[in-house]
């Protein structure tokens, strides 16, 4: 054991300064025998929970602290001696961060006026003693002079000066290391990070780089060579004084939601009883009553009533404002959440496990996710801020980490590579890569993987990948506290105005017991609300999610045909390929469909057995009689997380809480491991009870698959409700549904162009943008038979401002526009708006085709006040030649992103036939296994986690869509063609399985040049 504690150490949460993770630092410090390690990242505690976790894992004491630079003042290391000191530190960091822009801080002398009891300070002096009297007054008996030596040429003289300074002022001195990395080998990375921080290449950043690699955790004998024994011993005295631990934090949830005459327990029960009466108007069933009593008792025992009351209050506000919302995830296991109106699934109709949501053994806060309309969620977020105030409510942070492309871009820039090479290297990483590019990718791009500079770039990139890059805000995870949040964790400004975030990542909250409420955004809820509104205005019919007809045969028939472009959750190519095989015809079938194309069932080899059993191709059996109730609803095949948990309870005698621990280990095993104890326990117990080794192995493959992407039954059931609603609307109100999707974009897998092309293939008339009729949003208009058609809105015009469009709507209410000048004057349109309308064809009703419109808007002059109301002299109307069909097509895509004229491939069909490319219509006549060549616009590329590197490409031509499978080897060989082509030719063969047709690619050819500049934008890897 070394007689030393390091009191000044930065982790990689001092962004672009610290070059080692907390785990690396604690692992090395423990190996060197240090007594304690202080993590003192600069004006932040963002990494302190990770450091606490590493401290416990390595059995080495953590001291919580922070390095700060006071504006026009000294530099200090502040250490929390106790809980009071920790709270003072959080308050200082919060004040410094809140007065500065995101990513910076300003700590002022006035911030130290309040008492800072329990906060120790190490003064990092540069021989200037003028600050000493002030520091003594702020930190009486809690101030030390830090001595930091790094084998510089002036170390002896520096040591002597600092010791004299300490002696002259009766100030204890202590040895510190100013540690920036765990080992000397990280110096090159640390140099690069310093250069990145100062926006310079390393070769020009000498003034900002350390002279050597001594700022690492050093052996005690090395320290003893530099520091007098008293300075080393002083580090231990300080460490012994610091006894704060994050376990001492006492978090309390807000209590003000309880009205007079109630406590939290009685008020929650009152709300649940009221809601239960509405959910079960004919009386609460016995099973539901028993479940409610069980849940309420456990909630009271764990004292989580206020949490449920808060979520209920947020949902109540949203519903009062007519904002669609729905709880999902594990909360769907809760009958209390159902009674409170937070979720829409009745758990008593299923075998969902409440312990999946809340358990006594876990004794950790529940996690309720509520989705709101993505366009109106900000209203809900601001309600929470108003309700609790910014001192008690803040969003959770998300730690953004370096991935392959970002890491190689920063390292290459730091090492002085030119911009074109930096971009090419980043492209080599690919969008889905989390590592440096492979040698074959580099060769393909013209790089020599053996080049010494490039090898250095790749090595440093590998070290940087996974490092924190910056803090961003969680999409909607709120932390709300009874007391000021900055007594628990520092709070800082978010990038977005009117938002604040805590400095801890969402994954850190469970470790310290903070409750999070997720106020999430879901585009489909916006689309559904818009669709309901369109139907009500057009037909006078009012629909809600609750009143849509259930179990509609026509809807399930459409789903089974995989006619689901734009539907929720079942619109991806993998899902659409599964639909004709599974053929859902009940709601529970849809629950399975939502969940089955996921890593858990696929990696556990559960999908094909389930399909064979469903289609009567193999008998339904069960591993044992005791597991029949667990697996009966999925034909003897485990498909859901909850079933694995139930299996552990029934077959391995887990308690419900222990089963939830298994679930948590499933979710975390890729990051932290921890499944092995469960493997041994489950296997031994199941073998003892007669289960086969093959079955236990298959179950564990599935458990590992859930670690990649867990999809519990409760989550699938919540999403299946929205999937059914979207499909019912697409089936019975296709024009309104397509219109709502376009108005709610961006969302989903498909662009407005694909949604509109799909609508036209379903014989829905789509009418062009026209200032005589178009609003900002797309709208519905009747055709000659009274059926709805879609009128494109002005929002479709690229670059069109909503304010301009709204003025056009208002001006039109006062009468039709006479001409372009009348439109421009009444709607107060500037030249830019007029030109965009002309280019988009929106003025055709006033002046004719695009060329005529451009001429007309060019003649509109700004009206001077003196001549207000005076008509400008009319110009002679020129009859310009109309654009060709091809010119209109190009301009449509450039200005609107879609066309109502012929499909681009219709104009190219003759040329494509000449090179023997079939259309999607002709492909229907091709038999299974036969060769086929096709060409189409690339409208989407997908690479599911479950697909072992396989890429699914969707091509579109004038007759429909073609699904293409590109195997991993071909994707690697022809990556550039695959990723960059707008129009692609596929030579391969057709495969047909259970009515699902794919072209298996054998060769890819980029045909983009045939489009002659057409602006086609695919939706890739969503």
């Amino acid at each position: 054991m070394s007689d030393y504690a390091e009191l000044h150490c930065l982790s990689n949460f001092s962004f672009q300064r610290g070059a080692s993770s907390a785990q690396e630092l604690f692992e090395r410090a423990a190996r060197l025998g240090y007594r304690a390690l202080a993590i003192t990242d600069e004006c932040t505690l963002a990494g302190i929970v990770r450091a606490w976790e590493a401290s416990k894992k390595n059995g080495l004491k953590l001291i919580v602290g922070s390095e700060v630079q006071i504006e026009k003042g000294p530099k200090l290391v502040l250490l929390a001696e106790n809980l009071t000191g920790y709270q003072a530190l959080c308050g200082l960091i919060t004040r410094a961060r809140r007065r500065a822009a995101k990513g910076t801080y300003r700590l002022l002398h006035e911030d130290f006026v309040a008492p800072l009891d329990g906060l120790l300070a190490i003064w990092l002096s540069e021989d200037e003693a003028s600050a000493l009297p002030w520091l003594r007054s702020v930190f009486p008996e809690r101030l030390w002079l830090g001595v930091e030596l790094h084998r510089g040429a002036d170390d002896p003289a520096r040591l002597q000066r600092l010791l004299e300074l300490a002696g002259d002022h009766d100030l204890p001195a202590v040895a510190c290391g100013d540690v920036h990395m765990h080992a000397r080998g990280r110096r090159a990375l640390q140099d690069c990070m310093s250069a990145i921080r100062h926006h310079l290449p390393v070769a020009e950043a000498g003034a900002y780089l350390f002279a050597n690699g001594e700022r690492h955790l050093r052996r005690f004998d090395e320290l003893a060579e530099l520091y007098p024994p008293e300075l080393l011993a002083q580090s231990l005295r300080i460490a012994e004084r610091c006894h704060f631990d994050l376990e001492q934090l006492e978090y309390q949830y807000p209590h003000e939601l309880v009205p007079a005459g109630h406590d939290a327990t009685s008020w929650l029960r009152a709300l649940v009883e009221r809601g239960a009466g509405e959910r079960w108007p004919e009386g609460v069933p016995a099973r539901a009553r028993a479940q409610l009593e069980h849940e309420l008792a456990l909630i009271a025992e764990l004292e989580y009533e206020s949490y449920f009351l808060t979520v209920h209050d947020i949902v109540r506000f949203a519903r009062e404002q007519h904002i669609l919302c729905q709880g999902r995830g594990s909360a769907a296991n809760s009958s209390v959440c159902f009674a409170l109106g937070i979720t829409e699934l009745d758990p008593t109709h299923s075998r969902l496990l409440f312990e999946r949501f809340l358990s006594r053994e876990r004794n950790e806060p529940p996690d309720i996710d509520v989705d709101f309309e993505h366009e109106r969620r900000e209203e809900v977020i601001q309600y929470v801020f108003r309700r609790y105030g910014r001192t008690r409510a803040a969003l959770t942070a998300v730690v953004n980490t370096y991935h392959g492309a970002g890491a190689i871009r920063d390292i290459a820039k730091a090492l002085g590579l030119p911009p074109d090479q930096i971009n090419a290297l980043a492209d080599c990483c690919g969008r889905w890569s989390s590592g440096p590019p492979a040698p074959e990718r580099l060769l393909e791009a013209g790089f020599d993987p053996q080049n010494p500079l490039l090898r250095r770039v790749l090595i440093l990139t590998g070290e940087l990948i996974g490092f924190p890059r910056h803090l961003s805000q969680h999409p909607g995870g709120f932390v709300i506290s009874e007391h000021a949040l900055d007594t628990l964790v520092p709070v800082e400004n978010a990038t977005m105005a009117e938002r604040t975030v805590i400095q801890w990542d969402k994954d850190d909250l469970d470790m310290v017991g903070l409750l999070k409420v997720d106020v999430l955004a879901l585009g489909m809820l916006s689309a559904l609300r818009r669709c309901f509104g369109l139907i009500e205005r057009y037909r006078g019919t009012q629909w809600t999610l609750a009143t849509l007809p259930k179990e509609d045969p026509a809807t399930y028939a459409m789903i089974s045909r995989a006619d689901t472009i734009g539907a929720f959750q079942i619109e991806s190519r993998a899902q659409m390929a599964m639909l004709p095989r599974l053929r859902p015809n009940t709601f529970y079938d849809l629950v399975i469909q939502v969940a089955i194309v996921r890593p858990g069932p696929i990696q556990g080899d559960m999908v094909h057995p389930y399909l064979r059993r469903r289609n009567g191709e193999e008998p339904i059996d069960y591993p044992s009689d005791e597991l029949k109730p667990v697996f009966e609803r999925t034909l003897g095949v485990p498909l859901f997380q909850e079933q694995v948990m139930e299996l552990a309870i029934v077959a391995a005698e887990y308690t419900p809480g222990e089963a939830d621990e298994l679930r948590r280990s499933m979710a975390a095993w890729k990051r932290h491991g921890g499944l092995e104890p469960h493997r041994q326990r489950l296997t031994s117990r199941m073998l003892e009870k007669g289960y086969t080794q093959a079955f236990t192995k298959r179950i564990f493959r599935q458990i590992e698959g859930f670690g990649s992407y867990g999809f519990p039954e409760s989550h699938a059931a919540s999403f299946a409700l929205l999937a059914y609603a979207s499909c019912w609307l697409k089936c019975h109100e296709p024009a309104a549904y397509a219109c709502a999707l376009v108005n709610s974009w961006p969302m989903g897998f498909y662009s407005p162009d694909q949604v509109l092309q799909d609508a036209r293939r379903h014989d829905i008339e789509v009418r062009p943008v026209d200032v005589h009729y178009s609003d900002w949003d797309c709208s519905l208009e009747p055709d000659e038979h009274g059926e709805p058609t879609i009128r494109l809105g002005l929002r479709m015009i690229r670059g069109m401002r909503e304010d301009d469009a709204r003025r056009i709507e208002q001006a039109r209410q006062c009468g039709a526009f006479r001409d372009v000048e009348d439109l421009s004057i009444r709607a107060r349109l500037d030249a830019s708006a007029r030109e965009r309308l002309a280019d988009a064809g929106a003025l055709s009703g006033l002046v004719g085709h695009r060329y005529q419109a451009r001429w007309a808007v060019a003649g509109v002059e700004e009206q001077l006040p003196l001549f207000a109301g005076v008509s400008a002299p009319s110009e002679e109307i020129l009859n310009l030649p109309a654009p060709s069909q091809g010119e209109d097509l190009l301009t449509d895509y450039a200005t609107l992103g879609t066309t109502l004229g012929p499909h681009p491939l219709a104009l190219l069909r003759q040329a494509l036939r000449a090179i023997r490319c079939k259309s999607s219509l002709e492909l229907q006549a091709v038999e299974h296994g036969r060769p086929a060549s096709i060409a189409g616009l690339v409208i989407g590329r997908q690479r599911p986690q479950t697909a072992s590197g396989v890429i699914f490409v969707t091509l579109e031509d004038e007759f429909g869509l073609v699904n293409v499978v590109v195997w991993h080897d071909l994707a690697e060989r022809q990556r550039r063609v695959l990723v960059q082509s707008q129009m692609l030719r596929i030579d391969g063969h057709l495969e047909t399985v259970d009515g699902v047709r794919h072209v298996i690619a054998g060769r890819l050819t980029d045909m983009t040049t045939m489009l002659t500049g057409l602006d086609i934008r695919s939706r890739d890897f969503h």
Side-chain angles (χ1 to χ4, degrees):
M1 181 69 72
S2 299
D3 292 327
Y4 180 67
E6 180 53 67
L7 303 177
H8 184 197
C9 176
L10 306 184
S11 78
N12 52 13
F13 275 86
S14 288
F15 304 126
Q16 297 176 340
R17 286 187 66 196
S20 295
S21 68
Q23 175 58 31
E24 291 170 326
L25 291 164
F26 272 92
E27 192 175 290
R28 178 170 172 82
R31 192 164 60 246
L32 293 175
Y34 283 24
R35 299 283 188 89
L37 178 62
I39 295 298
T40 57
D41 289 311
E42 185 176 5
C43 200
T44 183
L45 296 180
I48 209 65
V49 178
R50 313 281 175 95
W52 185 46
E53 193 174 6
S55 162
K56 293 192 290 186
K57 183 176 181 180
N58 291 278
L60 180 64
K61 179 179 178 178
L62 164 69
I63 299 172
V64 177
S66 182
E67 172 195 299
V68 294
Q69 175 66 60
I70 301 172
E71 192 172 277
K72 298 179 181 179
K75 184 176 183 180
L76 303 173
V77 171
L78 303 175
L79 304 175
E81 180 180 19
N82 49 36
L83 177 59
T84 302
Y86 173 80
Q87 293 173 335
L89 179 61
C90 289
L92 278 175
I93 294 173
T94 297
R95 289 191 290 276
R97 291 284 184 179
R98 287 297 309 276
R99 69 164 57 94
K102 171 73 174 172
T104 62
Y105 71 95
R106 290 184 60 216
L107 188 61
L108 307 179
H109 284 83
E110 64 198 52
D111 295 322
F112 293 82
V113 173
L116 298 175
D117 297 341
L119 200 58
L120 312 183
I122 299 174
W123 175 34
L124 303 178
S125 170
E126 293 299 328
D127 308 336
E128 174 56 57
S130 60
L132 191 52
W134 177 76
L135 288 171
R136 280 188 183 280
S137 67
V138 175
F139 300 102
E141 307 300 323
R142 292 178 281 116
L143 179 66
W144 286 262
L145 176 66
V147 179
E148 298 184 331
L149 305 175
H150 301 104
R151 297 192 183 277
D154 64 341
D155 269 8
R158 175 176 171 77
L159 175 61
Q160 185 63 35
R161 288 197 306 272
L162 292 175
L163 290 177
E164 289 176 359
L165 178 64
D168 291 345
H169 296 278
D170 195 23
L171 186 66
V174 63
C176 300
D178 190 21
V179 173
H180 282 62
M181 48 202 155
H182 72 292
R184 191 189 304 273
R186 282 287 168 84
R187 184 191 170 189
L189 179 62
Q190 208 284 323
D191 284 350
C192 284
M193 294 172 72
S194 296
I196 292 166
R197 189 170 79 256
H198 293 286
H199 308 289
L200 291 169
V202 171
E204 299 175 18
Y208 302 104
L209 306 182
F210 296 129
N212 56 35
E214 289 296 305
R215 282 175 171 78
H216 67 279
L217 294 171
R218 293 172 284 186
R219 298 193 312 272
F220 184 74
D221 59 338
E222 294 179 276
L223 296 170
E225 291 178 11
L226 299 173
Y227 296 100
E230 173 57 25
L231 270 63
L232 297 173
Q234 192 66 240
S235 72
L236 298 181
R237 296 189 194 105
I238 295 175
E240 288 168 3
R241 286 188 61 170
C242 296
H243 52 80
F244 170 72
D245 190 282
L246 286 176
E247 286 182 349
Q248 298 171 21
L249 293 181
E250 294 183 359
Y251 171 71
Q252 284 186 300
Y253 211 75
H255 292 92
E256 71 267 26
L257 292 169
V258 181
H262 283 279
D263 59 17
T265 302
S266 65
W267 182 234
L268 178 62
R269 175 172 284 279
L271 290 174
V272 168
E273 292 296 341
R274 183 192 304 169
E278 296 172 356
R279 291 295 197 183
W280 296 285
E282 297 179 1
V284 181
R287 182 183 173 192
R289 170 57 64 189
Q291 183 64 27
L292 286 172
E293 294 300 331
H294 167 66
E295 293 185 23
L296 286 170
L298 184 57
I299 291 167
E301 177 186 336
L302 299 177
E303 299 181 349
Y304 289 145
E305 298 97 332
S306 295
Y307 178 75
F308 285 84
L309 292 174
T310 298
V311 179
H312 170 265
D313 179 65
I314 294 170
V315 170
R316 175 201 56 76
F317 167 80
R319 296 234 160 96
E320 287 178 355
Q321 302 302 312
H322 306 291
I323 300 172
L324 277 186
C325 62
Q326 175 178 285
R328 60 174 166 91
S330 60
N333 294 282
S334 168
S335 291
V336 166
C337 286
F338 178 64
L340 291 174
I342 296 169
T343 57
E344 295 300 323
L345 283 171
D346 182 353
T348 62
H349 289 169
S350 63
R351 292 182 56 89
L352 302 182
L353 281 176
F354 179 64
E355 283 74 11
R356 167 74 173 77
F357 174 56
L358 186 65
S359 74
R360 181 179 293 104
E361 289 90 341
R362 186 169 86 228
N363 192 24
E364 288 181 354
D367 188 8
I368 299 179
D369 298 338
V370 185
D371 290 314
F372 299 86
E373 297 176 36
H374 77 304
E375 293 178 330
R376 300 190 64 191
R377 182 183 56 147
E378 187 63 26
E379 297 175 45
V380 182
I381 287 176
Q382 291 306 320
Y383 169 74
V384 175
F385 277 130
R386 291 194 305 271
R387 189 82 162 84
Y388 298 98
R390 292 188 179 277
T391 59
R392 298 170 54 220
L395 290 164
T396 306
V398 173
V399 178
N400 287 92
T401 57
Y402 273 101
H403 294 284
I408 204 168
R409 190 179 291 278
D410 275 3
I411 292 294
K413 186 175 181 180
L415 293 184
L417 272 67
D420 58 334
Q421 291 188 24
I422 293 172
N423 292 334
L425 281 171
D427 289 343
C428 288
C429 287
R431 294 180 60 164
W432 54 82
S433 173
S434 59
E440 53 270 23
R441 293 271 179 87
L442 296 169
L443 287 168
E444 181 186 38
F447 291 101
D448 176 10
Q450 300 306 315
N451 178 278
L453 177 57
L454 184 56
R455 290 179 65 184
R456 189 173 185 81
V457 168
L458 297 177
I459 290 170
L460 292 170
T461 296
E463 292 179 352
L464 186 57
I465 288 173
F467 267 39
R469 190 171 190 174
H470 59 84
L471 287 184
S472 63
Q473 65 183 34
H474 188 275
F478 264 102
V479 175
I480 307 170
S481 174
E482 174 74 2
H483 306 293
L485 269 175
D486 65 6
T487 62
L488 299 167
V489 55
V491 179
E492 62 181 47
N493 296 320
T495 303
M496 293 181 65
E498 304 301 320
R499 291 192 182 190
T500 46
V501 297
I502 63 172
Q503 286 190 332
W504 287 343
D505 183 87
K506 58 183 178 60
D507 292 333
D508 298 333
L509 301 185
D510 284 347
M511 289 284 295
V512 291
L514 268 63
L515 280 75
K516 174 169 65 75
V517 179
D518 281 324
V519 179
L520 303 177
L522 191 62
M524 181 50 64
L525 288 174
S526 296
L528 292 174
R529 192 256 307 162
R530 287 176 178 274
C531 189
F532 292 151
L534 285 165
I535 295 169
E536 183 177 359
R537 288 191 294 274
Y538 190 84
R539 300 192 190 279
T541 306
Q542 290 185 335
W543 289 115
T544 67
L545 290 173
T547 60
L548 289 175
K550 306 293 190 294
E551 303 296 80
D552 177 57
T555 299
Y556 286 119
M558 183 193 78
I559 292 171
S560 297
R561 295 193 303 271
D563 185 6
T564 55
I565 287 179
F568 183 62
Q569 283 292 304
I570 54 173
E571 62 177 346
S572 72
R573 301 318 306 173
Q575 286 278 3
M576 291 171 76
M578 184 65 67
L579 286 169
R581 304 174 67 186
L582 197 147
R583 296 190 297 277
N585 55 37
T586 68
F587 177 74
Y588 195 73
D589 291 344
L590 202 55
V591 174
I592 291 174
Q593 174 66 48
V594 167
I596 200 169
V597 188
R598 310 288 172 181
I602 290 174
Q603 292 182 20
D605 194 24
M606 305 297 180
V607 176
H608 294 294
Y610 176 81
L611 291 174
R612 289 194 296 268
R613 294 179 181 203
R614 181 177 172 84
N615 295 329
E617 298 169 9
E618 72 174 50
I620 298 172
D621 57 12
Y622 301 93
S624 69
D625 289 340
E626 67 178 356
L627 286 179
K628 182 176 179 180
V630 177
F631 295 147
E632 190 168 19
R633 64 191 186 277
T634 53
L635 309 182
V637 179
L639 296 177
F640 299 110
Q641 275 188 1
E642 287 92 343
Q643 289 178 302
V644 175
M645 293 169 64
E646 286 187 275
L647 176 145
I649 294 169
V650 173
E653 299 175 352
Y654 276 48
T655 67
E658 290 171 335
D660 187 67
E661 282 300 319
L662 170 62
R663 190 269 309 174
R664 290 167 58 79
S665 296
M666 287 185 221
W669 79 272
K670 279 200 168 183
R671 287 173 294 154
H672 306 298
L675 269 182
E676 190 56 33
H678 290 291
R679 180 194 299 273
Q680 294 172 2
R681 181 178 178 185
L682 276 170
T683 301
S684 62
R685 291 189 179 184
M686 291 173 68
L687 291 176
E688 286 174 9
K689 298 184 73 171
Y691 294 96
T692 66
Q693 186 79 38
F695 179 71
T696 61
K697 286 183 177 179
R698 196 160 72 247
I699 287 293
F700 252 87
R701 283 201 304 273
Q702 183 179 17
I703 287 173
E704 291 173 346
F706 282 132
S708 299
Y709 187 80
F711 213 82
E713 184 175 1
S714 55
H715 197 87
S718 298
F719 272 6
L721 284 172
L722 300 182
Y724 178 82
S726 66
C727 289
W728 190 93
L729 291 167
K730 179 177 170 66
C731 179
H732 295 281
E733 295 286 356
Y737 186 67
C739 189
L741 284 180
V742 173
N743 288 340
S744 302
W745 199 80
M747 55 166 284
F749 281 87
Y750 299 97
S751 70
D753 180 40
Q754 280 101 56
V755 171
L756 293 170
Q757 295 284 1
D758 180 66
R760 294 174 69 194
R761 287 193 290 269
H762 286 75
D763 299 321
I764 296 169
E765 182 185 350
V766 181
R767 295 176 174 176
V769 180
D770 192 319
V771 293
H772 281 310
Y773 310 105
S774 294
D775 296 330
W776 169 248
D777 283 332
C778 300
S779 56
L780 299 180
E781 295 178 353
D783 64 10
E784 60 272 18
H785 305 294
E787 291 303 309
T789 67
I790 298 173
R791 169 68 69 179
L792 295 185
L794 295 168
R795 67 160 52 240
M796 298 293 295
I797 302 174
R798 288 176 177 167
M800 188 72 184
R801 295 184 296 266
E802 184 175 355
D803 288 347
D804 290 332
R806 297 299 184 190
R807 288 198 302 274
I808 292 173
E809 291 179 33
Q810 293 168 3
R812 194 171 59 221
Q813 293 174 3
C814 300
F817 301 120
R818 297 188 305 273
D819 51 32
V820 172
E821 184 178 21
D822 181 44
L823 164 69
S824 302
I825 293 172
R826 287 166 53 193
R828 304 191 305 280
L829 301 180
D830 60 18
S832 173
R834 296 195 297 268
E835 289 168 3
R836 292 184 190 281
L837 290 168
D839 288 342
L843 303 179
S844 59
L846 287 173
V847 293
H849 57 73
R850 283 186 168 98
Y851 293 167
Q852 208 79 44
R854 286 286 292 189
W855 178 267
V857 299
V860 175
E861 297 180 359
E862 298 293 333
Q863 190 78 293
L864 297 174
L866 179 64
F867 301 104
V870 179
S871 299
S874 58
E875 293 188 4
E876 181 182 352
I877 298 176
L878 296 181
N879 290 317
L880 300 175
S884 68
Q885 198 174 51
E887 289 170 331
D888 264 338
L889 183 70
L890 289 171
T891 310
D892 278 345
Y893 275 99
T895 58
L896 299 168
T898 188
T899 183
L900 302 185
H903 192 278
L905 264 70
L907 303 182
L908 301 174
R909 181 54 56 196
Q910 187 173 354
L912 293 173
R913 283 204 179 98
I915 57 175
R916 301 189 177 184
C917 283
K918 296 182 181 296
S919 68
S920 60
L921 184 64
E922 294 165 336
L923 195 66
Q924 295 177 14
V926 177
E927 297 178 354
H928 171 74
R930 302 291 296 175
S933 296
I934 57 166
L937 303 180
V938 180
I939 67 167
R941 303 171 180 88
Q942 291 173 246
R943 184 178 183 264
Q945 292 180 341
T946 55
S948 302
V950 176
I951 307 291
F952 296 101
V953 180
T954 304
L955 301 184
E956 180 187 81
D957 66 12
E958 68 270 41
F959 300 109
L961 305 180
V962 177
N963 302 321
V964 179
V965 175
V966 182
W967 297 121
H968 177 71
D969 289 346
L970 179 61
E972 288 297 309
R973 289 198 312 271
Q974 293 197 265
R975 177 180 170 276
R976 184 174 298 179
V977 174
L978 173 64
V979 172
Q980 297 181 357
S981 301
Q982 290 181 302
M983 179 175 169
L984 197 58
R985 171 177 174 158
I986 307 292
D987 295 295
H989 67 275
L990 185 75
E991 280 197 0
T992 305
V993 180
D994 296 332
V996 180
R997 299 165 67 83
H998 289 93
V999 174
I1000 309 300
R1003 184 178 63 191
L1004 313 176
T1005 306
D1006 187 353
M1007 308 287 284
T1008 306
T1009 53
M1010 294 186 72
L1011 298 176
T1012 61
L1014 194 66
D1015 189 0
I1016 301 291
R1017 304 181 186 184
S1018 61
R1019 294 278 283 167
D1020 295 335
F1021 310 114
H1022 285 268

